[in-house]
Coordinates of all heavy atoms in Angstrom, one line a residue:
M1 N 114.6 -111.1 -56.0 CA 115.9 -110.5 -55.7 C 115.7 -109.0 -55.6 O 115.2 -108.4 -56.5 CB 116.9 -110.9 -56.8 CG 118.2 -110.4 -56.4 SD 119.6 -110.8 -57.5 CE 119.2 -112.2 -58.5
N2 N 116.2 -108.5 -54.5 CA 116.1 -107.0 -54.4 C 117.3 -106.3 -55.1 O 118.2 -106.9 -55.6 CB 116.1 -106.6 -52.9 CG 117.4 -106.9 -52.1 OD1 118.4 -106.9 -52.7 ND2 117.3 -107.2 -50.9
A3 N 117.2 -105.0 -55.2 CA 118.2 -104.2 -55.9 C 119.6 -104.3 -55.4 O 120.5 -104.3 -56.1 CB 117.8 -102.7 -56.0
M4 N 119.7 -104.5 -54.1 CA 121.0 -104.6 -53.5 C 121.7 -105.9 -53.9 O 122.9 -105.9 -54.2 CB 121.0 -104.5 -52.0 CG 122.3 -104.5 -51.3 SD 123.3 -103.1 -51.8 CE 123.1 -102.1 -50.4
Q5 N 121.0 -107.0 -53.9 CA 121.5 -108.3 -54.3 C 121.9 -108.2 -55.8 O 122.9 -108.8 -56.2 CB 120.6 -109.4 -54.0 CG 120.4 -109.7 -52.5 CD 119.3 -110.7 -52.3 OE1 118.4 -110.8 -53.1 NE2 119.4 -111.5 -51.2
D6 N 121.1 -107.6 -56.6 CA 121.3 -107.6 -58.0 C 122.6 -106.8 -58.3 O 123.4 -107.1 -59.1 CB 120.1 -106.9 -58.7 CG 120.3 -106.9 -60.2 OD1 120.8 -108.0 -60.7 OD2 120.0 -105.9 -60.9
H7 N 122.8 -105.7 -57.6 CA 124.0 -104.9 -57.7 C 125.3 -105.7 -57.4 O 126.3 -105.6 -58.1 CB 123.9 -103.6 -56.8 CG 125.2 -102.8 -56.8 ND1 125.6 -102.1 -57.9 CD2 126.2 -102.7 -55.8 CE1 126.8 -101.5 -57.6 NE2 127.1 -101.8 -56.3
H8 N 125.2 -106.4 -56.3 CA 126.4 -107.2 -55.9 C 126.7 -108.4 -56.8 O 127.8 -108.7 -57.0 CB 126.2 -107.7 -54.4 CG 126.4 -106.6 -53.4 ND1 127.5 -105.9 -53.3 CD2 125.5 -106.1 -52.5 CE1 127.3 -105.0 -52.3 NE2 126.1 -105.1 -51.8
S9 N 125.6 -108.9 -57.4 CA 125.8 -110.1 -58.2 C 126.5 -109.7 -59.6 O 127.1 -110.5 -60.2 CB 124.5 -110.8 -58.5 OG 123.7 -110.0 -59.2
S10 N 126.3 -108.4 -60.0 CA 126.9 -108.0 -61.2 C 128.4 -107.6 -61.1 O 129.1 -107.4 -62.0 CB 126.1 -106.8 -61.8 OG 126.3 -105.7 -61.0
Q11 N 128.9 -107.4 -59.8 CA 130.2 -107.0 -59.6 C 131.2 -108.3 -59.8 O 130.8 -109.4 -59.4 CB 130.4 -106.5 -58.2 CG 129.7 -105.2 -57.9 CD 130.3 -104.1 -58.6 OE1 131.5 -104.0 -58.8 NE2 129.5 -103.2 -59.1
P12 N 132.3 -108.1 -60.4 CA 133.2 -109.2 -60.5 C 133.8 -109.6 -59.2 O 134.0 -108.7 -58.3 CB 134.4 -108.6 -61.4 CG 134.3 -107.2 -61.2 CD 132.9 -106.8 -60.9
S13 N 133.8 -110.9 -58.9 CA 134.4 -111.3 -57.7 C 135.8 -111.8 -57.9 O 136.2 -112.2 -59.0 CB 133.6 -112.5 -57.1 OG 133.6 -113.6 -58.0
G14 N 136.6 -111.7 -56.9 CA 138.0 -112.1 -57.0 C 138.7 -111.7 -55.8 O 138.1 -111.3 -54.8
P15 N 140.1 -111.7 -55.8 CA 140.8 -111.2 -54.7 C 140.4 -109.8 -54.3 O 140.4 -108.9 -55.1 CB 142.3 -111.3 -55.1 CG 142.3 -112.2 -56.3 CD 140.9 -112.1 -56.9
G16 N 140.1 -109.6 -53.1 CA 139.7 -108.3 -52.6 C 138.2 -108.0 -52.7 O 137.7 -107.0 -52.2
G17 N 137.4 -109.0 -53.3 CA 136.0 -108.9 -53.3 C 135.5 -107.9 -54.4 O 136.3 -107.4 -55.2
P18 N 134.2 -107.7 -54.4 CA 133.7 -106.8 -55.4 C 134.0 -105.3 -55.2 O 133.7 -104.5 -56.1 CB 132.1 -107.0 -55.2 CG 132.0 -107.4 -53.8 CD 133.2 -108.2 -53.5
Y19 N 134.6 -104.9 -54.1 CA 134.8 -103.5 -53.8 C 136.2 -103.1 -54.2 O 136.7 -102.0 -53.8 CB 134.5 -103.2 -52.4 CG 133.0 -103.5 -52.1 CD1 132.7 -104.5 -51.3 CD2 132.0 -102.7 -52.6 CE1 131.4 -104.8 -51.0 CE2 130.7 -103.0 -52.4 CZ 130.4 -104.0 -51.6 OH 129.1 -104.3 -51.3
R20 N 137.0 -104.0 -54.8 CA 138.4 -103.7 -55.1 C 138.4 -102.5 -56.1 O 137.8 -102.6 -57.2 CB 139.1 -104.9 -55.6 CG 140.5 -104.7 -55.7 CD 141.2 -106.1 -55.8 NE 142.6 -105.8 -55.9 CZ 143.5 -106.7 -56.1 NH1 143.1 -107.9 -56.4 NH2 144.7 -106.5 -56.1
T21 N 139.2 -101.5 -55.9 CA 139.3 -100.4 -56.7 C 140.3 -100.5 -57.9 O 141.1 -101.4 -57.8 CB 139.7 -99.1 -55.9 OG1 141.0 -99.3 -55.5 CG2 138.7 -98.9 -54.8
H22 N 140.2 -99.7 -58.8 CA 141.1 -99.7 -60.0 C 142.5 -99.4 -59.4 O 143.5 -100.0 -59.9 CB 140.7 -98.7 -61.0 CG 141.7 -98.6 -62.1 ND1 141.8 -99.6 -63.1 CD2 142.6 -97.6 -62.5 CE1 142.8 -99.3 -63.9 NE2 143.2 -98.1 -63.6
A23 N 142.7 -98.5 -58.5 CA 144.0 -98.2 -57.9 C 144.6 -99.4 -57.2 O 145.8 -99.7 -57.3 CB 143.9 -97.0 -56.9
A24 N 143.7 -100.2 -56.5 CA 144.3 -101.4 -55.8 C 144.7 -102.4 -56.9 O 145.7 -103.1 -56.7 CB 143.2 -101.9 -54.9
Q25 N 144.0 -102.5 -57.9 CA 144.3 -103.5 -59.0 C 145.7 -103.1 -59.6 O 146.5 -103.9 -59.9 CB 143.2 -103.6 -60.0 CG 142.0 -104.3 -59.5 CD 140.9 -104.3 -60.5 OE1 140.9 -103.5 -61.4 NE2 139.8 -105.1 -60.2
A26 N 145.8 -101.8 -59.9 CA 147.1 -101.3 -60.5 C 148.2 -101.5 -59.6 O 149.3 -101.9 -60.0 CB 146.9 -99.8 -60.9
Y27 N 148.0 -101.2 -58.3 CA 149.0 -101.4 -57.3 C 149.5 -102.9 -57.3 O 150.7 -103.2 -57.2 CB 148.5 -101.0 -55.9 CG 149.4 -101.3 -54.7 CD1 150.4 -100.4 -54.4 CD2 149.3 -102.5 -54.0 CE1 151.2 -100.7 -53.3 CE2 150.1 -102.7 -52.9 CZ 151.1 -101.9 -52.6 OH 151.9 -102.1 -51.5
W28 N 148.5 -103.8 -57.3 CA 148.9 -105.3 -57.3 C 149.6 -105.7 -58.5 O 150.5 -106.4 -58.5 CB 147.6 -106.1 -57.1 CG 147.9 -107.5 -57.0 CD1 147.5 -108.5 -57.8 CD2 148.7 -108.2 -56.0 NE1 148.1 -109.7 -57.4 CE2 148.8 -109.5 -56.3 CE3 149.4 -107.7 -54.8 CZ2 149.5 -110.5 -55.5 CZ3 150.1 -108.7 -54.1 CH2 150.1 -110.0 -54.4
R29 N 149.2 -105.1 -59.7 CA 149.9 -105.5 -60.9 C 151.3 -105.0 -60.9 O 152.2 -105.8 -61.3 CB 149.2 -104.9 -62.1 CG 148.0 -105.7 -62.6 CD 147.5 -105.2 -64.0 NE 147.2 -103.8 -64.0 CZ 146.0 -103.2 -63.7 NH1 145.0 -104.0 -63.4 NH2 145.8 -102.0 -63.8
R30 N 151.6 -103.8 -60.4 CA 153.0 -103.3 -60.3 C 153.7 -104.2 -59.3 O 154.9 -104.5 -59.5 CB 153.0 -101.9 -59.8 CG 152.6 -100.9 -60.9 CD 152.8 -99.4 -60.5 NE 152.1 -99.0 -59.3 CZ 150.9 -98.5 -59.3 NH1 150.3 -98.3 -60.4 NH2 150.4 -98.1 -58.1
N31 N 153.1 -104.6 -58.2 CA 153.8 -105.4 -57.2 C 154.2 -106.8 -57.8 O 155.3 -107.3 -57.6 CB 152.9 -105.6 -56.0 CG 153.5 -106.4 -54.9 OD1 154.8 -106.3 -54.7 ND2 152.8 -107.1 -54.1
V32 N 153.3 -107.4 -58.6 CA 153.6 -108.7 -59.3 C 154.7 -108.5 -60.2 O 155.6 -109.4 -60.3 CB 152.3 -109.2 -59.9 CG1 152.6 -110.4 -60.8 CG2 151.3 -109.6 -58.8
R33 N 154.7 -107.4 -61.0 CA 155.9 -107.1 -61.9 C 157.2 -107.0 -61.1 O 158.2 -107.5 -61.6 CB 155.6 -105.9 -62.7 CG 154.8 -106.1 -64.0 CD 154.9 -104.9 -64.9 NE 154.5 -103.7 -64.3 CZ 153.2 -103.2 -64.4 NH1 152.3 -103.8 -65.1 NH2 152.9 -102.0 -63.8
R34 N 157.2 -106.3 -60.0 CA 158.4 -106.1 -59.2 C 158.9 -107.5 -58.7 O 160.1 -107.8 -58.8 CB 158.2 -105.3 -58.0 CG 158.0 -103.8 -58.3 CD 157.8 -103.0 -57.0 NE 157.4 -101.7 -57.3 CZ 156.2 -101.2 -57.2 NH1 155.2 -101.9 -56.7 NH2 156.0 -99.9 -57.5
I35 N 157.9 -108.3 -58.2 CA 158.3 -109.7 -57.8 C 158.9 -110.5 -58.9 O 159.9 -111.2 -58.7 CB 157.1 -110.3 -57.1 CG1 156.7 -109.6 -55.8 CG2 157.4 -111.8 -56.9 CD1 155.4 -110.1 -55.2
A36 N 158.3 -110.4 -60.1 CA 158.7 -111.2 -61.2 C 160.2 -110.8 -61.6 O 161.0 -111.6 -61.9 CB 157.8 -111.0 -62.4
V37 N 160.4 -109.5 -61.6 CA 161.8 -109.0 -62.0 C 162.8 -109.5 -61.0 O 163.9 -110.0 -61.3 CB 161.8 -107.5 -62.2 CG1 163.2 -106.9 -62.2 CG2 161.0 -107.1 -63.4
L38 N 162.5 -109.3 -59.7 CA 163.4 -109.7 -58.7 C 163.6 -111.2 -58.6 O 164.7 -111.7 -58.4 CB 163.0 -109.2 -57.3 CG 163.1 -107.7 -57.1 CD1 162.5 -107.2 -55.8 CD2 164.5 -107.2 -57.3
L39 N 162.6 -112.0 -58.9 CA 162.8 -113.5 -59.1 C 163.6 -113.8 -60.2 O 164.4 -114.8 -60.2 CB 161.4 -114.2 -59.2 CG 160.6 -114.4 -57.9 CD1 159.3 -114.9 -58.1 CD2 161.4 -115.3 -56.9
A40 N 163.5 -113.1 -61.3 CA 164.4 -113.3 -62.5 C 165.8 -113.0 -62.2 O 166.7 -113.8 -62.5 CB 163.9 -112.5 -63.7
V41 N 166.1 -112.0 -61.4 CA 167.4 -111.6 -61.0 C 167.9 -112.7 -60.1 O 169.1 -113.2 -60.2 CB 167.4 -110.3 -60.3 CG1 168.8 -110.0 -59.6 CG2 167.1 -109.2 -61.2
W42 N 167.1 -113.2 -59.1 CA 167.5 -114.3 -58.2 C 167.9 -115.5 -59.0 O 168.9 -116.2 -58.8 CB 166.4 -114.6 -57.3 CG 166.5 -115.8 -56.5 CD1 167.3 -116.0 -55.4 CD2 166.0 -117.1 -56.8 NE1 167.2 -117.3 -55.0 CE2 166.4 -118.0 -55.8 CE3 165.1 -117.6 -57.8 CZ2 166.1 -119.3 -55.8 CZ3 164.8 -118.9 -57.8 CH2 165.2 -119.7 -56.8
L43 N 167.0 -115.9 -60.0 CA 167.3 -117.1 -60.8 C 168.6 -116.9 -61.6 O 169.4 -117.9 -61.6 CB 166.1 -117.3 -61.8 CG 166.2 -118.6 -62.6 CD1 166.1 -119.8 -61.8 CD2 165.0 -118.6 -63.6
L44 N 168.8 -115.8 -62.2 CA 170.0 -115.5 -62.9 C 171.3 -115.6 -62.0 O 172.3 -116.3 -62.3 CB 170.0 -114.1 -63.6 CG 171.2 -113.7 -64.4 CD1 171.3 -114.6 -65.6 CD2 171.2 -112.3 -64.7
L45 N 171.2 -115.0 -60.8 CA 172.3 -115.1 -59.9 C 172.5 -116.5 -59.3 O 173.6 -116.9 -58.9 CB 172.1 -114.2 -58.7 CG 172.2 -112.7 -59.0 CD1 171.7 -111.9 -57.8 CD2 173.6 -112.3 -59.4
T46 N 171.5 -117.3 -59.3 CA 171.7 -118.7 -58.8 C 172.2 -119.6 -59.9 O 173.0 -120.5 -59.7 CB 170.3 -119.2 -58.3 OG1 169.8 -118.3 -57.3 CG2 170.4 -120.6 -57.8
I47 N 171.7 -119.4 -61.2 CA 172.1 -120.4 -62.2 C 173.4 -120.0 -63.0 O 174.1 -120.8 -63.4 CB 170.9 -120.5 -63.2 CG1 169.8 -121.2 -62.5 CG2 171.3 -121.3 -64.5 CD1 168.5 -121.4 -63.3
A48 N 173.6 -118.7 -63.1 CA 174.8 -118.2 -63.9 C 176.1 -118.8 -63.5 O 176.9 -119.2 -64.3 CB 174.8 -116.7 -63.9
P49 N 176.4 -118.8 -62.2 CA 177.7 -119.4 -61.8 C 177.9 -120.9 -62.2 O 178.9 -121.3 -62.6 CB 177.8 -119.3 -60.3 CG 176.9 -118.1 -60.0 CD 175.8 -118.2 -61.0
A50 N 176.8 -121.6 -62.1 CA 176.8 -123.0 -62.6 C 177.0 -123.2 -64.0 O 177.7 -124.1 -64.5 CB 175.6 -123.7 -62.1
L51 N 176.4 -122.2 -64.8 CA 176.6 -122.3 -66.3 C 177.9 -121.9 -66.8 O 178.4 -122.3 -67.8 CB 175.5 -121.4 -66.9 CG 174.1 -121.8 -66.8 CD1 173.1 -120.8 -67.4 CD2 173.8 -123.2 -67.4
F52 N 178.6 -121.0 -66.0 CA 179.9 -120.5 -66.4 C 181.1 -121.0 -65.5 O 182.1 -120.3 -65.4 CB 179.9 -119.0 -66.4 CG 178.9 -118.4 -67.3 CD1 177.7 -117.8 -66.9 CD2 179.0 -118.5 -68.7 CE1 176.8 -117.3 -67.7 CE2 178.1 -118.0 -69.6 CZ 177.0 -117.4 -69.1
T53 N 180.9 -122.2 -65.0 CA 182.0 -122.7 -64.1 C 183.3 -122.9 -64.8 O 184.4 -122.7 -64.2 CB 181.6 -124.1 -63.5 OG1 181.2 -125.0 -64.5 CG2 180.5 -123.9 -62.4
S54 N 183.3 -123.3 -66.0 CA 184.6 -123.4 -66.7 C 185.3 -122.1 -66.9 O 186.6 -122.0 -66.8 CB 184.4 -124.1 -68.1 OG 183.6 -123.3 -68.9
W55 N 184.6 -121.0 -67.0 CA 185.2 -119.7 -67.1 C 185.6 -119.1 -65.8 O 186.4 -118.2 -65.7 CB 184.2 -118.7 -67.8 CG 184.0 -119.0 -69.3 CD1 184.6 -120.0 -70.0 CD2 183.0 -118.4 -70.1 NE1 184.1 -120.0 -71.3 CE2 183.1 -119.0 -71.4 CE3 182.1 -117.4 -69.9 CZ2 182.3 -118.7 -72.4 CZ3 181.3 -117.0 -70.9 CH2 181.4 -117.6 -72.2
L56 N 184.9 -119.6 -64.7 CA 185.2 -119.1 -63.4 C 186.2 -120.0 -62.6 O 186.4 -119.7 -61.4 CB 183.9 -119.1 -62.6 CG 182.8 -118.1 -63.2 CD1 181.5 -118.3 -62.4 CD2 183.3 -116.7 -63.1
A57 N 186.9 -120.9 -63.3 CA 187.8 -121.8 -62.6 C 189.2 -121.1 -62.5 O 190.1 -121.4 -63.3 CB 187.9 -123.1 -63.4
F58 N 189.3 -120.2 -61.6 CA 190.7 -119.6 -61.3 C 190.7 -119.3 -59.8 O 189.7 -119.3 -59.1 CB 190.8 -118.3 -62.1 CG 189.8 -117.2 -61.8 CD1 190.0 -116.3 -60.8 CD2 188.7 -117.2 -62.6 CE1 189.1 -115.3 -60.6 CE2 187.8 -116.2 -62.4 CZ 188.0 -115.2 -61.4
D59 N 191.9 -119.2 -59.3 CA 192.1 -118.9 -57.9 C 192.0 -117.4 -57.6 O 192.5 -116.6 -58.4 CB 193.5 -119.4 -57.4 CG 193.5 -120.9 -57.2 OD1 192.4 -121.5 -57.3 OD2 194.6 -121.5 -57.1
F60 N 191.4 -117.1 -56.5 CA 191.2 -115.7 -56.1 C 191.6 -115.7 -54.6 O 191.0 -116.3 -53.8 CB 189.8 -115.3 -56.3 CG 189.5 -113.9 -55.9 CD1 189.9 -112.8 -56.6 CD2 188.8 -113.6 -54.7 CE1 189.7 -111.5 -56.3 CE2 188.5 -112.3 -54.4 CZ 189.0 -111.3 -55.2
I61 N 192.7 -115.0 -54.3 CA 193.3 -115.0 -53.0 C 193.5 -116.4 -52.4 O 193.1 -116.7 -51.2 CB 192.5 -114.1 -52.0 CG1 192.1 -112.8 -52.7 CG2 193.2 -113.8 -50.7 CD1 191.2 -111.9 -51.9
G62 N 194.0 -117.3 -53.2 CA 194.4 -118.6 -52.7 C 193.2 -119.6 -52.7 O 193.4 -120.7 -52.3
W63 N 192.0 -119.2 -53.0 CA 190.9 -120.1 -53.1 C 190.2 -120.1 -54.4 O 190.3 -119.1 -55.1 CB 189.8 -119.7 -52.0 CG 190.3 -119.8 -50.6 CD1 191.1 -119.0 -49.9 CD2 190.1 -120.9 -49.8 NE1 191.3 -119.5 -48.7 CE2 190.7 -120.7 -48.6 CE3 189.4 -122.1 -49.9 CZ2 190.6 -121.6 -47.5 CZ3 189.3 -123.0 -48.8 CH2 189.9 -122.7 -47.7
P64 N 189.5 -121.2 -54.8 CA 188.9 -121.1 -56.1 C 187.8 -120.1 -56.1 O 187.1 -119.9 -55.1 CB 188.2 -122.5 -56.2 CG 188.9 -123.4 -55.2 CD 189.5 -122.5 -54.2
F65 N 187.6 -119.4 -57.2 CA 186.6 -118.3 -57.3 C 185.2 -118.8 -57.1 O 184.4 -118.0 -56.4 CB 186.8 -117.6 -58.7 CG 185.9 -116.3 -58.7 CD1 186.2 -115.2 -58.0 CD2 184.8 -116.3 -59.6 CE1 185.5 -114.1 -58.0 CE2 184.1 -115.1 -59.7 CZ 184.4 -114.0 -58.9
P66 N 184.8 -120.0 -57.5 CA 183.4 -120.4 -57.2 C 183.2 -120.5 -55.7 O 182.0 -120.3 -55.3 CB 183.3 -121.8 -57.9 CG 184.2 -121.7 -59.0 CD 185.4 -120.9 -58.5
F67 N 184.2 -120.8 -54.9 CA 184.0 -120.8 -53.5 C 183.7 -119.4 -53.0 O 182.7 -119.3 -52.2 CB 185.4 -121.2 -52.8 CG 185.4 -120.9 -51.3 CD1 184.7 -121.7 -50.4 CD2 186.0 -119.8 -50.8 CE1 184.7 -121.4 -49.1 CE2 186.0 -119.5 -49.5 CZ 185.4 -120.3 -48.6
W68 N 184.3 -118.4 -53.5 CA 184.0 -117.0 -53.1 C 182.6 -116.6 -53.5 O 181.8 -115.9 -52.7 CB 185.0 -116.0 -53.7 CG 186.3 -116.1 -53.1 CD1 187.4 -116.7 -53.7 CD2 186.8 -115.7 -51.8 NE1 188.5 -116.7 -52.8 CE2 188.1 -116.0 -51.6 CE3 186.1 -115.0 -50.8 CZ2 188.8 -115.7 -50.5 CZ3 186.9 -114.7 -49.6 CH2 188.2 -115.1 -49.5
L69 N 182.2 -117.0 -54.7 CA 180.8 -116.8 -55.1 C 179.8 -117.4 -54.2 O 178.8 -116.8 -53.8 CB 180.6 -117.2 -56.6 CG 181.2 -116.4 -57.7 CD1 181.0 -117.1 -59.0 CD2 180.7 -115.0 -57.6
A70 N 180.0 -118.7 -53.9 CA 179.1 -119.4 -53.0 C 179.1 -118.9 -51.6 O 178.0 -118.8 -50.9 CB 179.4 -120.9 -53.0
A71 N 180.3 -118.6 -51.1 CA 180.4 -118.2 -49.7 C 180.0 -116.8 -49.4 O 179.4 -116.5 -48.4 CB 181.8 -118.4 -49.2
Y72 N 180.3 -115.9 -50.3 CA 180.0 -114.5 -50.1 C 179.1 -113.8 -51.1 O 178.3 -112.9 -50.7 CB 181.4 -113.7 -50.0 CG 182.2 -114.2 -48.9 CD1 183.4 -115.0 -49.2 CD2 182.0 -113.9 -47.6 CE1 184.2 -115.5 -48.1 CE2 182.8 -114.3 -46.5 CZ 183.9 -115.2 -46.8 OH 184.6 -115.6 -45.8
G73 N 179.3 -114.1 -52.3 CA 178.6 -113.4 -53.4 C 177.1 -113.7 -53.4 O 176.3 -112.7 -53.5
A74 N 176.7 -114.9 -53.4 CA 175.3 -115.3 -53.5 C 174.5 -114.8 -52.3 O 173.5 -114.1 -52.4 CB 175.1 -116.8 -53.7
P75 N 175.0 -115.0 -51.0 CA 174.2 -114.5 -49.9 C 174.1 -112.9 -49.9 O 173.1 -112.4 -49.6 CB 175.0 -115.0 -48.7 CG 175.7 -116.2 -49.1 CD 176.1 -115.9 -50.6
L76 N 175.2 -112.3 -50.3 CA 175.1 -110.8 -50.4 C 174.1 -110.4 -51.5 O 173.4 -109.4 -51.2 CB 176.5 -110.3 -50.7 CG 176.7 -108.8 -50.7 CD1 176.3 -108.1 -49.4 CD2 178.1 -108.4 -51.1
A77 N 174.2 -111.0 -52.6 CA 173.2 -110.7 -53.7 C 171.8 -110.9 -53.2 O 170.9 -110.1 -53.5 CB 173.5 -111.5 -54.9
Y78 N 171.5 -112.0 -52.5 CA 170.2 -112.3 -52.0 C 169.7 -111.2 -51.0 O 168.6 -110.8 -51.0 CB 170.1 -113.7 -51.4 CG 170.4 -114.8 -52.4 CD1 171.0 -116.0 -52.0 CD2 170.2 -114.6 -53.8 CE1 171.3 -117.0 -52.8 CE2 170.5 -115.7 -54.6 CZ 171.1 -116.8 -54.2 OH 171.4 -117.8 -55.0
L79 N 170.6 -110.8 -50.2 CA 170.3 -109.7 -49.2 C 170.0 -108.4 -50.0 O 169.1 -107.7 -49.6 CB 171.4 -109.5 -48.2 CG 171.5 -110.5 -47.1 CD1 172.8 -110.3 -46.3 CD2 170.3 -110.5 -46.2
I80 N 170.7 -108.1 -51.0 CA 170.5 -106.9 -51.8 C 169.1 -107.0 -52.5 O 168.4 -106.0 -52.5 CB 171.6 -106.7 -52.8 CG1 172.9 -106.3 -52.1 CG2 171.2 -105.7 -53.9 CD1 174.1 -106.3 -53.0
I81 N 168.7 -108.2 -53.0 CA 167.4 -108.4 -53.6 C 166.3 -108.1 -52.5 O 165.3 -107.4 -52.8 CB 167.3 -109.8 -54.2 CG1 168.1 -109.9 -55.4 CG2 165.8 -110.1 -54.5 CD1 168.2 -111.3 -56.0
V82 N 166.4 -108.7 -51.3 CA 165.4 -108.4 -50.3 C 165.4 -107.0 -49.9 O 164.3 -106.4 -49.8 CB 165.8 -109.3 -49.1 CG1 164.9 -108.9 -47.9 CG2 165.6 -110.8 -49.4
A83 N 166.5 -106.3 -49.8 CA 166.6 -104.9 -49.5 C 165.9 -104.1 -50.6 O 165.2 -103.1 -50.3 CB 168.0 -104.4 -49.2
A84 N 166.2 -104.4 -51.8 CA 165.6 -103.7 -53.0 C 164.1 -103.8 -53.0 O 163.3 -102.9 -53.2 CB 166.1 -104.2 -54.3
Y85 N 163.6 -105.1 -52.7 CA 162.1 -105.3 -52.6 C 161.5 -104.4 -51.5 O 160.5 -103.8 -51.6 CB 161.8 -106.7 -52.4 CG 160.3 -107.0 -52.3 CD1 159.5 -106.9 -53.5 CD2 159.7 -107.3 -51.1 CE1 158.1 -107.1 -53.4 CE2 158.3 -107.5 -51.1 CZ 157.6 -107.4 -52.2 OH 156.2 -107.6 -52.1
A86 N 162.1 -104.4 -50.3 CA 161.6 -103.7 -49.2 C 161.6 -102.2 -49.5 O 160.6 -101.5 -49.2 CB 162.5 -103.9 -47.9
W87 N 162.6 -101.7 -50.1 CA 162.7 -100.3 -50.5 C 161.6 -99.9 -51.6 O 160.9 -98.9 -51.4 CB 164.1 -99.9 -51.0 CG 164.2 -98.5 -51.5 CD1 164.4 -97.4 -50.6 CD2 164.2 -98.0 -52.8 NE1 164.5 -96.3 -51.4 CE2 164.4 -96.6 -52.7 CE3 164.1 -98.6 -54.0 CZ2 164.4 -95.8 -53.8 CZ3 164.1 -97.8 -55.2 CH2 164.3 -96.4 -55.1
L88 N 161.5 -100.8 -52.6 CA 160.5 -100.5 -53.6 C 159.1 -100.6 -53.1 O 158.3 -99.7 -53.4 CB 160.7 -101.6 -54.8 CG 161.9 -101.4 -55.7 CD1 162.0 -102.7 -56.5 CD2 161.7 -100.2 -56.5
M89 N 158.8 -101.5 -52.2 CA 157.5 -101.6 -51.6 C 157.2 -100.5 -50.7 O 156.1 -100.0 -50.6 CB 157.3 -103.0 -50.9 CG 157.2 -104.1 -51.9 SD 156.0 -103.8 -53.2 CE 154.5 -103.6 -52.3
G90 N 158.2 -100.0 -49.9 CA 158.0 -98.9 -49.1 C 157.7 -97.6 -49.9 O 156.8 -96.9 -49.5
R91 N 158.4 -97.5 -51.0 CA 158.1 -96.3 -51.9 C 156.7 -96.5 -52.5 O 156.0 -95.5 -52.6 CB 159.2 -96.3 -52.9 CG 159.2 -95.0 -53.7 CD 160.3 -94.9 -54.7 NE 160.0 -95.8 -55.8 CZ 160.7 -95.9 -56.9 NH1 161.8 -95.2 -57.1 NH2 160.3 -96.7 -57.9
A92 N 156.3 -97.7 -52.9 CA 155.0 -97.9 -53.5 C 153.9 -97.7 -52.5 O 152.8 -97.1 -52.8 CB 154.9 -99.3 -54.1
D93 N 154.1 -98.1 -51.2 CA 153.1 -97.9 -50.2 C 152.9 -96.4 -49.9 O 151.8 -95.9 -49.7 CB 153.5 -98.6 -48.9 CG 153.3 -100.1 -49.1 OD1 152.6 -100.6 -50.0 OD2 153.9 -100.9 -48.2
R94 N 154.0 -95.7 -49.8 CA 153.9 -94.2 -49.6 C 153.1 -93.5 -50.8 O 152.3 -92.7 -50.5 CB 155.3 -93.6 -49.4 CG 155.9 -93.9 -48.0 CD 157.1 -93.1 -47.8 NE 158.2 -93.4 -48.8 CZ 159.1 -94.4 -48.6 NH1 159.0 -95.2 -47.6 NH2 160.0 -94.6 -49.5
A95 N 153.5 -93.9 -52.0 CA 152.8 -93.4 -53.1 C 151.3 -93.8 -53.1 O 150.4 -92.9 -53.5 CB 153.4 -93.8 -54.4
G96 N 151.0 -95.0 -52.7 CA 149.6 -95.4 -52.7 C 148.8 -94.7 -51.6 O 147.6 -94.4 -51.8
R97 N 149.4 -94.3 -50.5 CA 148.7 -93.5 -49.5 C 148.4 -92.1 -49.9 O 147.4 -91.6 -49.5 CB 149.5 -93.5 -48.2 CG 149.3 -94.8 -47.4 CD 150.0 -94.6 -46.0 NE 150.9 -95.7 -45.9 CZ 152.2 -95.7 -45.7 NH1 152.8 -94.5 -45.5 NH2 153.0 -96.7 -45.7
R98 N 149.3 -91.6 -50.8 CA 149.0 -90.2 -51.3 C 147.9 -90.2 -52.3 O 147.2 -89.2 -52.4 CB 150.3 -89.7 -52.0 CG 151.3 -89.2 -51.0 CD 152.4 -88.5 -51.8 NE 153.0 -89.3 -52.8 CZ 154.3 -89.8 -52.8 NH1 155.0 -89.5 -51.7 NH2 154.7 -90.6 -53.7
D99 N 147.7 -91.3 -53.1 CA 146.6 -91.3 -54.1 C 145.3 -91.4 -53.5 O 144.9 -91.7 -52.5 CB 146.9 -92.5 -55.0 CG 148.1 -92.2 -55.9 OD1 148.6 -91.1 -56.0 OD2 148.6 -93.2 -56.4

């Protein structure tokens, strides 16, 4: 085995190959944390109305409040989550290019 093969065999393999930098690994860890937080928010927004239906059983402008949550609140919240992710990733990408 020559020196070049020996060098490559000692490098950890994984996503991004053996040449993945520490900065790239840190970037990916931050990205996974952002995704986890936004997924937790999504899960909370999806499950919370179902858990609190007895407390949400009142009319709002002539319609049951859960109708308003399903028709307008949830889709708006999901769009806000997507916009937040796009904004956060844009900011992270700009910061990554500076480094």
